[in-house]
Amino acid sequence: MDYKNYINQCIAFNDIEELCRSYFLLGSKTCDSNTMAYIQGSVYQITDPDCPFVNQIFYCDENYFGKIDWSKVTTINEAQKTTLKRGLTAQCFTFFEKTLDNLAVDAYTRSIPENYVPFSKYAETSQLENILIDDDQYYQIMQVIGQPYIKDSELEYKRQAILKLAVEPALRMYYTYFPLVQEQVLQHSPVGDYLIPYPTEPYPAYKAIAWVSTAGAMGKSGGSISPLAALGTDVSLYTRTGQTTQMNAGITYNKPVPGWNGRSLSDSGSAYSQMSQMWPIANTMKNIMRREKLSKIHIPGKGIFAKGYSTMSGYLNIIWLCWSRDFDDVEFEDWSKVIKLCQAHVKFSIGAIRDLLRSDSNVPFRDGIQKEGKEEIDAIEKEWAENPIRNIYTPQRGGVL
């Protein structure tokens, strides 16, 4: 559970009750100028009465040992303590810029229902809306603009905004060309419409490839479809000759090396040569008489669905093309390329916002950093678009939506 993101969700929805309970269940830790240890993963409330941020809460991103004279901390920037970890200077504290009323905490935590499930109310919302990325990966991306030496507070917008503006578009582009694939097979009978919900677990789907597959009448065994029976029927037909009435002539190997010549014991014409001419005509007629339709619809309050129909009954085969908000799901061999794409989006986004906020600056943001980011994005997308691997999901009859 990412408690920092969960608390951010509570603040975003102004849910003081859930915020107080979350703080209480995480230990109700407080700190003042005499506190000497700040433990990673904990939420603290400042209780020093001389501090301008009294009763404000913050999240400890890294362990920090040493006293902080909160009475002398007058700005958030001064409170963003840093520590040295594996050669990198990392930010220790994330301030939520939210104060807690101790009376409210006592009131909401005194009467917690017995069936209350901690950290569940916004867990799904947090999972669906937030990009999951650890600090090491984040700073790999943000080093292009000087982080972690440049602090979050010195940028035009916060970490969550950067994840939305830069990292999420890069992940969406990556999975557009190299999707995560889930397969599903359903019974489609009788002939007619179908309505299948787009999956959200373990990955959310964004496209569907669907088609209906059937076996011929001669492939039925005991009233049910038998692939082995269908194969046996085909083998028998292929090895028949034009003159014999034998249905079960065996496959013969009349070559010096093993191989099937498609003939029976008789030297007269083979059924294989006849069927090789008739098959194209048969398939053409089947495709003319066969109709399948697939569309993508959104039903408010229920989600996204694949809606379609088929004039055939059998098995509905669906390939779901999916993406992920978790940076760890990027394939190992693509990791460095996705990092570069995220860095290009960071350059583009930072350049765009700084060009608006600092129009009087001598630095050419639009023609410099923003243009450079755009060129890098286009180059990577062109490389992925021309990659032959992306064509392996060419749809069958059902089409792509």
Side-chain angles (χ1 to χ4, degrees):
M1 169 63 67
D2 189 340
Y3 298 115
K4 181 165 65 175
N5 284 334
Y6 189 84
I7 290 178
N8 272 324
Q9 291 294 329
C10 295
I11 296 173
F13 289 100
N14 197 29
D15 192 341
I16 304 302
E17 179 178 1
E18 185 69 14
L19 177 61
C20 291
R21 288 176 176 173
S22 299
Y23 167 71
F24 174 77
L25 293 170
L26 288 173
S28 304
K29 292 183 174 63
T30 61
C31 65
D32 55 27
S33 298
N34 293 318
T35 303
M36 294 191 63
Y38 298 84
I39 307 304
Q40 180 182 3
S42 300
V43 177
Y44 289 86
Q45 180 187 28
I46 301 173
T47 57
D48 194 318
D50 297 324
C51 179
F53 310 110
V54 62
N55 293 333
Q56 189 161 328
I57 58 174
F58 63 87
Y59 182 85
C60 185
D61 295 283
E62 299 285 347
N63 289 332
Y64 182 83
F65 302 104
K67 289 185 178 182
I68 300 174
D69 190 349
W70 290 104
S71 63
K72 295 182 179 180
V73 175
T74 58
T75 66
I76 288 291
N77 190 53
E78 292 175 350
Q80 302 285 359
K81 295 294 179 180
T82 58
T83 184
L84 199 65
K85 181 180 181 182
R86 293 192 296 273
L88 290 178
T89 301
Q91 183 172 292
C92 274
F93 307 141
T94 298
F95 276 74
F96 295 112
E97 301 184 13
K98 185 73 174 179
T99 60
L100 283 182
D101 187 339
N102 293 325
L103 294 178
V105 174
D106 182 65
Y108 288 130
T109 56
R110 192 187 314 115
S111 58
I112 298 180
E114 293 183 359
N115 59 348
Y116 177 75
V117 180
F119 309 108
S120 61
K121 187 174 182 179
Y122 299 112
E124 184 176 353
T125 303
S126 179
Q127 176 72 17
L128 292 177
E129 294 184 354
N130 291 324
I131 297 297
L132 303 179
I133 183 171
D134 62 38
D135 287 342
D136 291 337
Q137 296 166 339
Y138 178 74
Y139 288 130
Q140 282 282 335
I141 296 170
M142 297 301 291
Q143 67 178 341
V144 73
I145 58 170
Q147 279 198 308
Y149 304 102
I150 295 177
K151 302 174 185 177
D152 285 343
S153 58
E154 298 174 9
L155 298 176
E156 281 77 7
Y157 34 61
K158 298 181 180 179
R159 173 169 172 161
Q160 194 62 28
I162 292 175
L163 294 179
K164 285 292 184 182
L165 292 174
V167 179
E168 182 171 328
L171 290 178
R172 286 180 180 269
M173 181 187 295
Y174 169 66
Y175 289 116
T176 297
Y177 295 104
F178 306 103
L180 298 167
V181 177
Q182 299 181 69
E183 298 187 33
Q184 188 175 8
V185 180
L186 303 170
Q187 187 77 37
H188 179 58
S189 180
V191 175
D193 297 339
Y194 56 83
L195 185 67
I196 312 297
Y198 269 50
T200 57
E201 295 292 341
Y203 304 109
Y206 65 87
K207 282 185 183 295
I209 301 173
W211 67 94
V212 175
S213 59
T214 61
M218 296 185 67
K220 291 185 177 181
S221 175
S224 61
I225 296 175
S226 172
L228 291 178
L231 177 62
T233 300
D234 288 344
V235 170
S236 298
L237 288 174
Y238 299 162
T239 57
R240 287 176 53 204
T241 63
Q243 295 179 353
T244 184
T245 59
Q246 184 180 8
M247 286 294 294
N248 297 313
I251 298 176
T252 61
Y253 296 92
N254 297 327
K255 297 182 180 179
V257 293
W260 175 50
N261 63 3
R263 298 176 65 90
S264 184
L265 298 177
S266 173
D267 282 334
S268 55
S270 169
Y272 175 78
S273 62
Q274 299 176 18
M275 294 191 69
S276 65
Q277 299 175 22
M278 298 303 296
W279 267 1
I281 300 175
N283 284 334
T284 300
M285 294 301 296
K286 182 168 62 175
N287 286 331
I288 290 175
M289 294 181 290
R290 176 178 184 166
R291 287 291 179 267
E292 290 183 337
K293 175 72 174 178
L294 187 63
S295 59
K296 180 179 181 180
I297 65 170
H298 174 253
I299 301 177
K302 294 184 178 181
I304 301 175
F305 291 80
K307 185 179 188 302
Y309 70 87
S310 174
T311 57
M312 301 181 63
S313 61
Y315 293 100
L316 175 62
N317 305 266
I318 306 177
I319 293 179
W320 300 105
L321 306 186
C322 309
W323 77 291
S324 173
R325 291 180 171 84
D326 192 337
F327 205 86
D328 285 335
D329 288 327
V330 174
E331 291 291 343
F332 181 81
E333 60 268 24
D334 299 326
W335 193 84
S336 60
K337 185 69 70 174
V338 176
I339 288 286
K340 291 180 180 178
L341 181 60
C342 291
Q343 290 175 338
H345 274 282
V346 168
K347 292 179 184 178
F348 180 78
S349 300
I350 293 289
I353 197 68
R354 287 188 175 179
D355 189 68
L356 293 174
L357 297 178
R358 303 181 181 180
S359 57
D360 58 343
S361 174
N362 294 325
V363 179
F365 293 114
R366 185 178 297 276
D367 296 329
I369 187 172
Q370 184 182 11
K371 182 179 179 182
E372 180 181 331
K374 183 66 167 62
E375 291 174 349
E376 293 175 357
I377 293 171
D378 293 341
I380 294 176
E381 185 171 18
K382 183 176 184 295
E383 177 184 339
W384 285 348
E386 295 174 351
N387 192 312
I389 296 179
R390 68 181 296 263
N391 294 321
I392 65 176
Y393 301 111
T394 301
Q396 296 193 23
R397 291 185 178 91
V400 177
L401 60 88

